[in-house]
Every structure is written in C-alpha cells, then in structure tokens.
Amino acid sequence: MLDVRRMQVLEAVLAERSITAAARRLGYTPSAVSQQIAALEREAGLPLLERTARGVRPTEAGQLLGACAAAVGARVSEAEALLADLRSGRSGRVSVCYFASAGAALVAPAVAALRRTRPGIHVDLRLTDPADPLPEVREGRADLGLVMRAGGPPSEDGVRFTYLLSDSYRVLLPAEHPLAAHESLALADLVGEPWVGSAWQGPCMDAVLAVCAAAGFRPEFTVRSEDYVTAQAFVAAGLGISVVPGIGLGDRVREGVVVRDLRDAEAVRGVYAAVRNTAPDHPALAAMSDALLRVASA
C-alpha cells in the first residue's frame, strides 16, 4: 500500500526538481528525503526519479504518483477548509421540528436572520402538528424541537430545554357576546360557555385543557376546528367562544370577533427549545439556538 506522506514528499521533490531543495522546504535532511523516496519506490515497485546533472526528474511512474499526490493534497486542503467552516459555524446542517404557531412567530424570523449572518448553514424544517416534536428530538430524528407546555417547564430524561418565551392565552368572543363588554376576563367566566376548539387533539389542545383544569373545569366543545383561522370563523358566526395562544392569534383578528385578555396566572404556556443531552458539539445547532433566543427576546 502506498504511503500518502511519502507521496507528498515526492510531490515536493518534483516541484523543486531537487532533493536538497525539497528537504529545505519540508524541514527534513536530504538523507531523510532520500530514504522516504526509496521506501516509496519499494512500495511502487518501480523507480520514481532519475538523477541528472541539475538534480532529479521524474520517471513515468514518478509523474503518475506526483500527480496523484497533488490531487490528494488538494483534497486534504479542501477537507481542512470544510472542517474549519464547520468548527466556526460558517457551514453545517441542522434539522428543526416545530409546531405551527411557532413557525410564523419564531422559526421564520430566526431562519431569515441565520441566512443573513451564516448563509452556509442549511436548516431542514419539519412541521409536526398535531404531533409533539419532542419524540423527534429524543429519538435523534431532529437536532432541535420547539415544544410548548402549560403548567411549568417540561422535564424529560436525556433532553435539555431552553426557555424561549411565555405565550399568554386570549379569549375570542362573538362581537355581540355579553362578555365582550369586559376589558379582560377570568377563565371562570368561561365555565358553561359553548367552546370552539382551535387545534387537533395533541400538545396544543392538551395545553389548553391543562390551563382549564388548573382553573377547575373542563371546557365543553360544541365545534372543533384544526386551526385558529377556522376557529375565528366559527366564533364570528356565534357558535361559541374560543381560547387561543397569543402567537397563534397574532394581529389577524376576523371581523365579528372580539379579543380579550385572561387575568389568570395559569392562562399561559411556555415555549422551549429542546435538544438531546447526547448531541455532539454542533456549531450550526448552537447558531440556530442563538437565533431563536434573539427572536424570542426581541
């Protein structure tokens, strides 16, 4: 088997056309260079250099190995540059799972900011609604997952969570509803009201149910929808009230719908970035996490 380091010594000799000059370039003695060339000739089974009055010149085998050594050196230099970019966070790939409302409020601006500052990082995005993104992270199918929980920070073996923001729930009421006259409401005011569901059964709906359970009741759903836009349409039609998270509502309020704040301390969900504890040092992942934190704190 050919020794790559000896091939690189041959490349230097061919470039300098001299064993002595190559030795100076490499920081070796001429004797050490000659020994490396002799060993490479034994490996190749052919002479690689021809001595001349002005130094050395390559045989056909020497030219072939010299060209291969140059190609190997170029690939090594390329690999070193690529690794340097990965180490510095200038390049890399990170996979992110997220729930829908976090996509618009957090993921989109974070990825846009990352592309401006680290254009070499590629972000693979995957929407997991109505499923929970946490299993994707825990089982290694995603580098980072955005999760929401009501009732305190989440806990999961093998996963670390970074708090991003608190997302307060708000009440959607038909414009003519008697409760619309109040500037703010308590969850207790909503007991006995017909409710419009705003999400499929899953983490988003579980968080709403947890908030209501903390207030001592379970809502009675007369209509169920899969998104906040459709829920607003049902509320505007007078079919019931709905409770939605602030980042899910944004500033998109339908005509015929009134939005009111909830005074209850428990009427909030936390949004967290989840990463596996065993995930290796990953500058691209760290850059994505930082971008999410900057957006969340803005």
Side-chain angles (χ1 to χ4, degrees), residues 28-295:
Y28 296 165
T29 64
S31 175
V33 170
S34 295
Q35 290 173 11
Q36 293 292 315
I37 296 299
L40 186 61
E41 287 180 326
R42 288 194 296 273
E43 292 171 352
L46 291 167
L48 303 176
L49 296 176
E50 178 185 349
R51 270 66 177 179
T52 68
R54 296 185 178 182
V56 295
R57 64 187 175 201
T59 64
E60 183 178 1
Q63 287 180 325
L64 185 152
L65 281 188
C68 290
V72 169
R75 293 305 302 270
V76 169
S77 296
E78 179 185 0
E80 289 174 342
L82 292 173
L83 287 172
D85 284 344
L86 280 174
R87 285 194 301 268
S88 67
R90 291 191 297 269
S91 68
R93 182 179 293 270
V94 59
S95 56
V96 177
C97 287
Y98 64 97
F99 56 96
S101 55
L106 292 173
V107 176
V111 172
L114 199 61
R115 285 184 177 175
R116 289 193 297 270
T117 58
R118 309 279 185 100
I121 293 179
H122 181 83
V123 182
D124 294 320
L125 298 174
R126 187 160 72 252
L127 178 66
T128 58
D129 275 353
D132 190 348
L134 190 54
E136 298 290 308
V137 175
R138 188 178 56 241
E139 296 166 17
R141 295 191 296 271
D143 298 312
L144 182 149
L146 291 182
V147 300
M148 101 291 293
R149 295 291 187 272
S155 176
E156 181 82 14
D157 289 342
V159 179
R160 66 179 183 272
F161 297 90
T162 300
Y163 167 81
L164 295 177
L165 56 82
S166 294
D167 188 16
S168 297
Y169 283 98
R170 309 187 76 190
V171 184
L172 305 184
L173 302 162
E176 303 302 322
H177 196 286
L179 291 176
H182 298 270
E183 291 187 2
S184 64
L185 297 168
L187 284 165
D189 296 328
L190 308 179
V191 175
E193 291 286 339
W195 280 54
V196 173
S198 59
W200 288 115
Q201 191 65 44
C204 290
M205 180 54 66
D206 290 345
V208 172
L209 295 177
V211 164
C212 294
F217 74 100
R218 183 179 179 85
E220 298 179 4
F221 293 99
T222 58
V223 180
R224 293 185 181 271
S225 67
E226 64 184 59
D227 60 73
Y228 304 131
V229 174
T230 306
Q232 284 199 54
F234 286 131
V235 171
L239 300 181
I241 62 96
S242 190
V243 170
V244 301
I247 62 172
L249 178 63
D251 57 1
R252 303 178 299 276
V253 179
R254 185 186 182 97
E255 184 178 355
V257 174
V258 172
V259 180
R260 293 292 181 260
D261 294 331
L262 284 168
R263 297 190 296 269
D264 308 72
E266 62 266 27
V268 64
R269 66 179 185 176
V271 180
Y272 304 84
V275 176
R276 288 189 317 285
N277 285 335
T278 56
D281 290 339
H282 193 336
L285 174 58
M288 183 66 198
S289 298
D290 290 344
L292 287 167
L293 280 168
R294 285 194 297 271
V295 170

